[in-house]
Amino acid sequence: MQIFKQGIFAFFALHGFFLGAQSLGDTSDLTGNNYGRMRELELSSSRLPVRLSESGMHVTVINQSDIKALPVQNVNELLAYVSGVDVRQRGPMGAQADIGIRGSSFDQVLVLVDGVRMTDPQTGHHQMNLPFPLQMIERIEVIRGTAARRYGLNALGGVVHIITKKRSETAFAFESFGMSITDKDPNAGLNGGLRLFAGGALGTWQVMGGAEGLKGKGYRWNTDFEQLRTYIKVSNETELGSFSLLGGTNNNDFGAGLFYAAPADANARETVNTQFASAQFQSNISDRDKLTISASGRWNFDHYIFTKLNPTVYQNKHQNQAIQVEASYLHTFKDSRLALGVESRNEKITSNNLGDHNREVIGTYGEYIHQWTPEFSTTFGAYGLHTEFIGFKVYPGAEFQLKFNDYSALWGNLGTGQRLPTYTDWYYKDGANLSNPNLKSERARNSELGYRYQKGSWSAQFSVFQKDYTDMIDWVRRDSTFKWKPENISTLQFRGVEWEIRWKEFLPVLPEGTELVWNGCVLRSSQLDLPGLNSKNALHYMPLQNTLRFRVKLWEGGEGIHQTGVYFSGIWRHISRFNSNSYNVFDAKLEFSRGKSWNAYLNLMNLGNTQYREIASVPMMPRWIGLGIAAQL
């Protein structure tokens, strides 16, 4: 309970501090827009439209200005700077990474792209195999907590929703970049890529597409990679409604040395090819009624070779698909909104190791938000799930927001959810692992209380939370003489505190547009009852995470399209991992821009050359230096 006592004390201290800070007056953000009160951004990670100013969830919105300020080349690297998010990378340049949120496993986080699930029924290792570069992203919404009522299957740890741009900002653009480590490792070399973008209007249709090619030798033995990504989006808006069609591919071939079975897998190789497509139609039946119909499909092929020079020693080939159709109805009342919907999902796999399997999932949901007064709103909902495996189950949830004024609010939520075992959980077996087809579905319950503030040059968010897992799935064994086996390991509880504070132009001597961001998360778990057993996943979370980011304009001149600027960003990350050492990583970015026509940048990653591991068997990249140039017509 100590962490909650500290959290409640900090809440009242923050509230009093920011109330006192209101005399600072309103300023403008980096785009010149006044933001003297909480933003009215409508969250896309919801079937029921919810504005940020009425949401009772812990939400972080990453926009293009945030992406541009950070020394990142892919979504994996970007999410590493978000509080509560645990990114465990295995390879360079986004080759392979797992995403956890607040102690969750990678299978317990739901990843969406424009509402399309990237969930892989084989394993969560593949859901970050995304088909598009950062430049095609409008924003990313990171939602913490368990909320099946809103997101359906697998949203136990949280949701990462990637919203792509509706239209291209230019007819044509390109970017070229290269990166290399400074260590004299004979197995390392230059890593780089080329990105191309194009877009425009064809009558009333908006068309946008892009391609990205990446290739490199990596940073140590057997971490070379080659990737090709393509993406296209077509949309149209009429008086009757809107239509969108999107699709993408990611062909990813990489050395998987020490990725999954170190040290025996030093010469492993893996190829993952992913395709997805989605079509959505929204019909405005009336001013108060909207009907949405969507269909999506995702196909993934995974070929793993244990010894690349001799594939006959051991290899896996998995081909899976996930097809989903959904219909939802939204009605708007005077002071409330109601959303109802139904979805059907089919998941199929054909595998030389896991076998051939197929399962159907039917879900129904309802959610209702009511604005009782201008200051107080509540949301209630439930998700009903039916599968042959677990029968019919209902997962309810609720949230509220209470505004103190136009600048600050208290919010909270209660949520429940579940995750079906993946086909790997049920059926995978090899020389070091056993299968367990008797695994049950794991469940979670989340509660959270938070405070949100935004006024003038200040914005802040703070919360205390508790998450309880039941029948949590983990791979366990007694010692190294036994094989790993997935089991439902009874219960596990996490408690924590999470925060983010932004302060623009915090010192009068610094240039306009200077920004300081501090975020972090403190996490504590209950004693896991595993008598005589070792845990493979559950107890490798981050008890402490701290990130401090500073961005400053070094020089600016010219006007309009000839405006020139030089900007610097510095980032410090401190990570402490359970059953592992803590470490500090320093990153930086120096950028030169010439209006909107072109820009060049220098990325400096791991400046201190820290030796650290995000996954126990995988040494992370040493000091990286990267150069890039981008232009648009």
Side-chain angles (χ1 to χ4, degrees):
M1 291 299 292
Q2 185 65 26
I3 192 171
F4 275 85
K5 292 178 181 177
Q6 295 171 350
I8 296 298
F9 173 80
F11 159 69
F12 286 109
L14 275 174
H15 183 52
F17 176 78
F18 286 118
L19 285 178
Q22 290 179 11
S23 61
L24 291 172
D26 293 346
T27 60
S28 297
D29 65 7
L30 295 176
T31 62
N33 297 318
N34 187 275
Y35 64 105
R37 59 182 62 193
M38 287 190 292
R39 291 173 293 175
E40 290 299 312
L41 175 69
E42 185 173 292
L43 300 177
S44 298
S45 300
S46 175
R47 288 137 169 177
L48 177 71
V50 176
R51 294 182 294 273
L52 187 60
S53 62
E54 61 188 7
S55 171
M57 302 293 292
H58 193 131
V59 182
T60 295
V61 179
I62 310 167
N63 55 34
Q64 267 294 325
S65 63
D66 294 317
I67 295 172
K68 190 177 181 182
L70 293 168
V72 297
Q73 295 290 356
N74 51 71
V75 176
N76 302 339
E77 295 173 351
L78 177 65
L79 292 175
Y81 297 110
V82 180
S83 62
V85 178
D86 185 5
V87 180
R88 303 183 188 181
Q89 300 185 78
R90 286 184 171 85
M93 306 291 285
Q96 205 282 323
D98 298 332
I99 306 296
I101 296 180
R102 293 178 174 175
S104 77
S105 72
F106 51 87
D107 283 316
Q108 296 168 346
V109 175
L110 175 62
V111 177
L112 303 172
V113 176
D114 288 350
V116 180
R117 292 173 174 271
M118 295 293 105
T119 304
D120 193 296
Q122 176 201 335
T123 173
H125 285 314
H126 299 321
Q127 67 174 341
M128 293 303 293
N129 201 39
L130 303 173
F132 48 82
L134 292 173
Q135 289 76 3
M136 299 189 74
I137 296 175
E138 177 184 310
R139 68 181 186 274
I140 300 176
E141 298 170 3
V142 180
I143 299 94
R144 289 81 161 173
T146 303
R149 66 180 170 88
R150 184 166 293 172
Y151 309 108
L153 287 168
N154 294 356
L156 269 72
V159 177
V160 176
H161 192 184
I162 301 166
I163 297 97
T164 61
K165 295 178 179 178
K166 293 183 178 180
R167 56 182 58 85
S168 177
E169 299 171 351
T170 182
F172 178 77
F174 78 91
E175 179 174 355
S176 179
F177 61 93
M179 298 189 74
S180 182
I181 66 172
T182 59
D183 282 6
K184 297 180 179 179
D185 189 324
N187 298 303
L190 182 65
N191 307 271
L194 177 66
R195 300 181 177 119
L196 302 174
F197 317 91
L202 297 176
T204 60
W205 293 87
Q206 291 289 333
V207 182
M208 181 178 65
E212 177 182 55
L214 306 173
K215 189 173 184 178
K217 290 188 65 177
Y219 64 100
R220 57 178 176 83
W221 168 252
N222 197 25
T223 56
D224 61 295
F225 61 92
E226 188 171 349
Q227 296 184 52
L228 176 62
R229 300 170 177 168
T230 60
Y231 180 80
I232 187 170
K233 185 174 186 178
V234 180
S235 60
N236 191 9
E237 295 188 13
T238 68
E239 293 182 356
L240 296 178
S242 62
F243 173 81
S244 65
L245 176 68
L246 64 141
T249 66
N250 188 348
N251 300 312
N252 189 7
D253 180 71
F254 54 92
L258 309 182
F259 277 24
Y260 308 111
D265 63 342
N267 295 297
R269 192 82 190 172
E270 189 167 9
T271 300
V272 183
N273 297 326
T274 306
Q275 302 85 36
F276 87 96
S278 173
Q280 183 183 87
F281 176 70
Q282 288 187 341
S283 175
N284 299 319
I285 301 174
S286 69
D287 293 340
R288 293 180 175 270
D289 300 276
K290 179 185 293 184
L291 176 67
T292 302
I293 300 174
S294 63
S296 63
R298 184 182 182 275
W299 300 264
N300 193 77
F301 173 72
D302 175 29
H303 184 195
Y304 177 79
I305 302 173
F306 187 73
T307 305
K308 60 184 178 182
L309 297 179
N310 188 5
T312 59
V313 172
Y314 182 83
Q315 59 180 313
N316 286 321
K317 291 183 178 180
H318 315 289
Q319 179 74 54
N320 66 77
Q321 70 173 24
I323 306 295
Q324 181 164 323
V325 294
E326 180 179 354
S328 63
Y329 168 75
L330 172 68
H331 180 77
T332 302
F333 301 92
K334 180 181 178 181
D335 297 312
S336 58
R337 299 185 296 278
L338 172 67
L340 301 170
V342 60
E343 62 183 9
S344 175
R345 183 175 177 86
N346 176 267
E347 298 179 339
K348 182 180 180 181
I349 189 169
T350 302
S351 168
N352 70 316
N353 186 315
L354 306 177
D356 299 346
H357 304 279
N358 184 67
R359 65 186 180 193
E360 293 278 349
V361 179
I362 303 295
T364 60
Y365 57 87
E367 196 166 18
Y368 177 75
I369 183 170
H370 188 83
Q371 192 79 38
W372 299 93
T373 70
E375 293 78 27
F376 183 65
S377 62
T378 58
T379 305
F380 299 93
Y383 180 83
L385 170 71
H386 180 269
T387 69
E388 183 179 353
F389 168 56
I390 64 173
F392 181 76
K393 301 288 184 181
V394 177
Y395 301 93
E399 63 187 76
F400 78 92
Q401 182 166 145
L402 173 63
K403 294 181 181 179
F404 297 117
N405 47 46
D406 288 339
Y407 318 113
S408 61
L410 180 70
W411 54 266
N413 63 78
L414 296 169
T416 58
Q418 57 73 48
R419 178 181 77 86
L420 298 179
T422 64
Y423 289 124
T424 296
D425 291 331
W426 269 333
Y427 304 115
Y428 187 79
K429 56 185 178 181
D430 59 19
N433 298 277
L434 295 173
S435 63
N436 187 356
N438 296 317
L439 282 175
K440 297 182 290 184
S441 174
E442 60 182 355
R443 293 161 289 151
R445 181 177 67 251
N446 185 90
S447 58
E448 187 168 9
L449 181 67
Y451 173 74
R452 187 177 290 131
Y453 177 91
Q454 183 170 329
K455 186 178 189 293
S457 58
W458 287 89
S459 65
Q461 186 163 223
F462 173 88
S463 70
V464 293
F465 59 88
Q466 178 172 307
K467 183 181 298 181
D468 298 279
Y469 289 100
T470 303
D471 291 327
M472 186 174 183
I473 297 172
D474 193 18
W475 293 69
V476 296
R477 68 181 183 183
R478 294 199 176 276
D479 55 52
S480 59
T481 63
F482 287 79
K483 294 183 178 182
W484 294 102
K485 184 179 180 180
E487 298 282 1
N488 292 106
I489 58 171
S490 65
T491 61
L492 181 62
Q493 182 183 86
F494 286 100
R495 292 176 176 174
V497 177
E498 187 172 343
W499 67 89
E500 177 177 285
I501 299 174
R502 289 176 178 255
W503 191 6
K504 298 176 185 290
E505 300 161 17
F506 54 93
L507 289 176
V509 297
L510 294 175
E512 180 184 356
T514 300
E515 183 180 42
L516 183 69
V517 180
W518 176 40
N519 65 50
C521 184
V522 177
L523 197 61
R524 297 290 183 267
S525 70
S526 60
Q527 184 64 39
L528 185 60
D529 186 18
L530 292 175
L533 296 177
N534 297 318
S535 165
K536 192 173 186 178
N537 297 319
L539 295 181
H540 295 278
Y541 63 92
M542 300 186 300
L544 177 62
Q545 177 191 28
N546 257 305
T547 301
L548 188 66
R549 188 171 88 227
F550 172 75
R551 181 167 172 83
V552 61
K553 177 172 58 181
L554 299 179
W555 178 79
E556 189 173 79
E559 296 180 355
I561 61 174
H562 301 294
Q563 187 179 50
T564 304
V566 180
Y567 309 90
F568 174 79
S569 297
I571 308 102
W572 163 70
R573 288 189 295 143
H574 172 77
I575 303 296
S576 175
R577 292 191 176 277
F578 192 86
N579 291 331
S580 183
N581 295 327
S582 61
Y583 53 87
N584 296 282
V585 179
F586 297 90
D587 304 325
K589 180 176 184 176
L590 183 65
E591 180 187 6
F592 174 86
S593 65
R594 176 72 169 174
K596 291 186 177 182
S597 59
W598 68 278
N599 71 293
Y601 56 87
L602 171 67
N603 287 346
L604 303 169
M605 308 292 290
N606 193 7
L607 278 166
N609 208 23
T610 302
Q611 297 181 9
Y612 68 102
R613 298 167 186 255
E614 295 174 344
I615 295 171
S617 62
V618 182
M620 289 303 297
M621 282 79 77
R623 186 186 296 112
W624 282 74
I625 296 179
L627 289 169
I629 186 169
Q632 58 185 20
L633 303 176

